[in-house]
Amino acid sequence: MTGRVLIAFALLLLQMVLTINNIKYSNQGLWTFALCVAYLAQTVLVRVVFNPVRPGNAFARQWVATALVDVVMFGMLQFTRSGTLTYLPLFVYPVLTSGVLATRKLALGTAALCTLILLGEPWLTGQHLDAQVTSGLMQGALASTGLLLVALLTNQLTHRLQQAQAHARRTQADAQRSRAEAQIMRLINERVIDAMPQGILVLNEKLQVRSANPAALTMLGLPETHLLASLRLTDQAGWIELVDVAKLTFARGAIDHAEINVTQRSRTQVHLTVNTQTTSSPEAAQRPMCLMFMQDLRESEAKLRTEKLASMGRMSAAVAHEIRNPLAAISQANALLQEELNDPMARRLTGMVEQNAQRLGRIVDDILDVARVKEVGERDESDALALDAHVRTLCQEWADQHQVGTRLQVKLSADEVLAAFRPDHLRRILVNLLDNAARYATHAQGAIQVSTHADRATGPVLLMVWSDGKALDQGVQKHLFEPFFSSESRSSGLGLYICQELCHRHGGAIAYERTPRQINGSTQQGNEFFISMKRWQHTANAPLDPDADTSR
């Protein structure tokens, strides 16, 4: 369209020059000048006002009108020309426009219209001179043949170009879609690897860590935000066994299974199983990389305990009952035998029998408790429990029984608050937490602290048991509330698990964290177990007296 404006402007300048200089072969100069002015106005109007349609194979009226206006304009100029001046080259422009921007039919139609004009012009202006008519017809025929060829070739080339462009766009869209899918898959793989409990390390020959997931960093005792660019396995002396495995992998190839010990910065030792593979580095195809898969044996043990619990749940109650009867007989026989013995060595042996029988009885009770918890389900009927009063009474009874003296401090701040909990279940949980605290706490004044808290009118009620014992290992913290997990060989590992199940039955929760407390004017870090309980909401069938005997 800009080309049409330029052609119209050039024609107007030509007619102005011919009109002003009164060139002898100018025919009807003023009329032709007005025609050029009108054509220039039309081309400018189309270029500025109208929005030309995009090239394509569809029939467009706009290109029909444009080609028709151009052919008519150039034909009128050709008919009114004088002398040797000819406008024949201008007919190529509407043919090219139709061939490039419109359909093949329109291009051929435009060329045919131009042919009629070029062949008819000698008959109308030849003044019946045979030589002039013949020469004009030959010139028009040659020009018409060229216009037809131009229409065909330009339209075919344009069609092929459009196909190439469409193919390129489809290829580009497919490439973008493939890149997007690859990006999504990469993100998914990263998320999956980051969420895997198995530690994954990628090492080069210099034992520099090129990639590591959060589980691997945790096993090495490093934070998840640790900078990998400066991390080498030789940085820590406690990783020497891991270094040996990596060197052996580069020297001999993949290792199917290896058990090693890794000492973290906190001097915590982690027992790991390691599998390794070798692969090529993306930066240099000739330099291998070591892919190391690590798994904490405690995770495997936790899975084993879970499977053990699942199988034990089907037979624990029956077996426990069967064990309890002969166990009671053993205890009674041992007590009778102990009355008849005077030898200190023999009484010591009967004492060992009594001690282990009691331990076995506690394990049987714990197994039966687990079975009962599973049978009742996820929720249990809760009672209106005056939390501070019950906690104060339970703590006093426990302190008198264990003679802890000033080691235990009770700080209650949930007065007149009713919690939705059964008293016997609260007793079981609180006694278990106090027993654990007494086992690991020091003998300092205030080494064990029990407190309650309720800061909102409708929020949950908190019961906290704190002790100044040493911090728990991260591996131990992960499995605190799992069944059969214990850091001591003489424990059944069911105490905290039962506490958690009892809390869940009442819509509550139990958790652990490392928190500071004040002891004798100084801040001391300690282990805190806190229980979140729901507030009591009155129902028609529930007892209203918070001090009523609701034990079952």
Side-chain angles (χ1 to χ4, degrees):
M1 296 302 101
T2 303
R4 293 180 74 240
V5 174
L6 295 177
I7 291 175
F9 186 70
L11 290 175
L12 180 61
L13 289 179
L14 176 62
Q15 296 304 323
M16 289 176 61
V17 172
L18 294 176
T19 302
I20 293 174
N21 294 294
N22 195 17
I23 302 301
K24 62 181 180 179
Y25 51 81
S26 177
N27 185 24
Q28 299 179 355
L30 293 177
W31 183 85
T32 306
F33 180 78
L35 184 63
C36 290
V37 171
Y39 181 64
L40 177 62
Q42 193 270 345
T43 57
V44 172
L45 183 65
V46 172
R47 176 64 182 85
V48 176
V49 178
F50 295 98
N51 184 23
V53 297
R54 302 290 297 177
N57 295 325
F59 180 81
R61 296 180 180 178
Q62 188 179 41
W63 302 130
V64 176
T66 300
L68 183 61
V69 169
D70 291 345
V71 171
V72 171
M73 175 63 188
F74 300 152
M76 293 178 68
L77 292 176
Q78 183 70 12
F79 277 111
T80 58
R81 68 186 178 89
S82 299
T84 59
L85 181 64
T86 180
Y87 296 94
L88 180 61
L90 295 178
F91 287 96
V92 178
Y93 190 80
V95 174
L96 284 174
T97 302
S98 302
V100 173
L101 300 178
T103 61
R104 181 176 297 180
K105 292 182 179 179
L106 181 58
L108 293 177
T110 303
L113 182 60
C114 293
T115 299
L116 293 177
I117 294 175
L118 294 177
L119 294 178
E121 187 264 342
W123 290 97
L124 297 177
T125 59
Q127 299 178 357
H128 305 290
L129 298 176
D130 294 339
Q132 186 175 0
V133 171
T134 302
S135 176
L137 288 175
M138 292 295 296
Q139 185 177 4
L142 291 175
S144 300
T145 303
L147 292 177
L148 289 172
L149 293 176
V150 168
L152 288 173
L153 292 177
T154 54
N155 185 264
Q156 187 172 2
L157 290 176
T158 301
H159 180 67
R160 292 186 177 181
L161 178 61
Q162 291 174 354
Q163 289 180 337
Q165 290 177 342
H167 178 71
R169 285 193 294 268
R170 289 193 300 269
T171 303
Q172 184 178 7
D174 293 340
Q176 291 178 351
R177 184 165 54 252
S178 299
R179 286 195 297 269
E181 292 177 354
Q183 181 73 7
I184 293 174
M185 291 303 300
R186 185 180 66 84
L187 293 176
I188 292 175
N189 291 335
E190 290 180 355
R191 295 285 182 87
V192 171
I193 292 174
D194 290 344
M196 289 178 61
Q198 189 179 33
I200 299 177
L201 286 179
V202 180
L203 310 172
N204 59 15
E205 289 182 333
K206 297 180 180 180
L207 301 184
Q208 183 179 2
V209 179
R210 304 303 304 273
S211 179
N213 66 342
L217 294 176
T218 302
M219 294 177 187
L220 296 178
L222 300 174
E224 295 183 4
T225 57
H226 189 83
L227 185 62
L228 296 179
S230 59
L231 180 60
R232 297 169 61 93
L233 287 187
T234 55
D235 292 343
Q236 299 291 331
W239 301 346
I240 184 64
E241 296 186 19
L242 204 60
V243 172
D244 295 338
V245 171
K247 290 182 178 179
L248 189 61
T249 301
F250 283 116
R252 301 182 181 179
I255 297 176
D256 292 335
H257 181 80
E259 293 188 6
I260 63 173
N261 292 317
V262 172
T263 303
Q264 302 175 351
R265 291 181 177 179
S266 60
R267 297 184 179 179
T268 302
Q269 194 174 68
V270 182
H271 194 40
L272 304 176
T273 58
V274 180
N275 300 327
T276 62
Q277 295 180 2
T278 56
T279 182
S280 299
S281 170
E283 296 181 358
Q286 302 301 324
R287 301 184 66 86
M289 302 283 282
C290 175
L291 189 60
M292 188 173 292
F293 302 91
M294 304 183 300
Q295 187 170 5
D296 192 342
L297 282 179
R298 288 179 177 175
E299 299 289 341
S300 302
E301 293 172 358
K303 294 181 180 178
L304 182 60
R305 285 190 297 270
T306 303
E307 295 175 357
K308 185 189 301 183
L309 178 65
S311 60
M312 184 176 292
R314 294 187 294 266
M315 57 179 295
S316 60
V319 173
H321 282 295
E322 293 297 328
I323 292 176
R324 176 172 287 180
N325 293 330
L327 185 61
I330 292 173
S331 299
Q332 293 176 2
N334 183 70
L336 295 175
L337 182 61
Q338 191 173 16
E339 294 177 357
E340 300 294 333
L341 295 177
N342 295 321
D343 185 13
M345 181 59 67
R347 295 183 65 85
R348 181 180 177 184
L349 293 176
T350 56
M352 293 175 60
V353 172
E354 181 182 4
Q355 182 182 1
N356 285 275
Q358 291 176 355
R359 178 191 171 200
L360 187 58
R362 289 193 297 269
I363 294 176
V364 170
D365 292 338
D366 289 340
I367 294 175
L368 289 175
D369 287 338
V370 171
R372 295 190 191 103
V373 168
K374 289 298 183 181
E375 289 175 0
V376 172
E378 296 183 356
R379 290 290 183 268
D380 192 12
E381 182 182 353
S382 302
D383 299 328
L385 178 71
L387 184 61
D388 283 4
H390 280 78
V391 170
R392 185 180 294 108
T393 302
L394 292 175
C395 290
Q396 185 63 42
E397 293 176 356
W398 182 85
D400 294 340
Q401 181 181 358
H402 293 80
Q403 299 179 354
V404 296
T406 58
R407 289 181 68 194
L408 176 63
Q409 290 185 357
V410 181
K411 302 176 182 179
L412 306 178
S413 59
D415 193 20
E416 299 181 357
V417 175
L418 299 181
F421 223 88
R422 281 180 50 177
D424 55 330
H425 290 172
L426 181 63
R427 175 187 293 274
R428 178 65 184 271
I429 295 173
L430 184 57
V431 169
N432 187 284
L433 295 179
L434 288 174
D435 288 342
N436 289 340
R439 187 178 300 115
Y440 299 105
T442 64
H443 293 276
Q445 181 179 359
I448 304 173
Q449 298 182 12
V450 178
S451 58
T452 59
H453 182 70
D455 57 352
R456 294 196 301 266
T458 58
V461 185
L462 296 180
L463 169 62
M464 290 82 71
V465 178
W466 182 91
S467 61
D468 63 349
K470 295 181 180 180
L472 300 180
D473 294 340
Q474 292 185 356
V476 174
Q477 294 182 29
K478 291 182 179 179
H479 310 292
L480 268 179
F481 301 99
E482 293 181 3
F484 299 106
F485 176 82
S486 176
S487 58
E488 295 183 354
S489 60
R490 299 179 62 85
S491 175
S492 64
L494 294 173
L496 290 178
Y497 172 74
I498 294 175
C499 292
Q500 178 180 251
E501 292 297 321
L502 292 176
C503 289
H504 288 171
R505 285 168 58 176
H506 295 279
I510 183 172
Y512 161 84
E513 65 181 359
R514 186 76 174 169
T515 58
R517 287 290 180 89
Q518 292 291 328
I519 298 182
N520 299 326
S522 63
T523 302
Q524 178 72 32
Q525 291 287 339
N527 302 315
E528 182 179 74
F529 288 87
F530 60 93
I531 303 166
S532 175
M533 293 177 282
K534 296 171 60 176
R535 287 178 180 257
W536 168 256
Q537 295 180 356
H538 172 65
T539 57
N541 298 326
L544 295 178
D545 185 5
D547 297 325
D549 184 8
T550 56
S551 61
R552 295 176 174 82

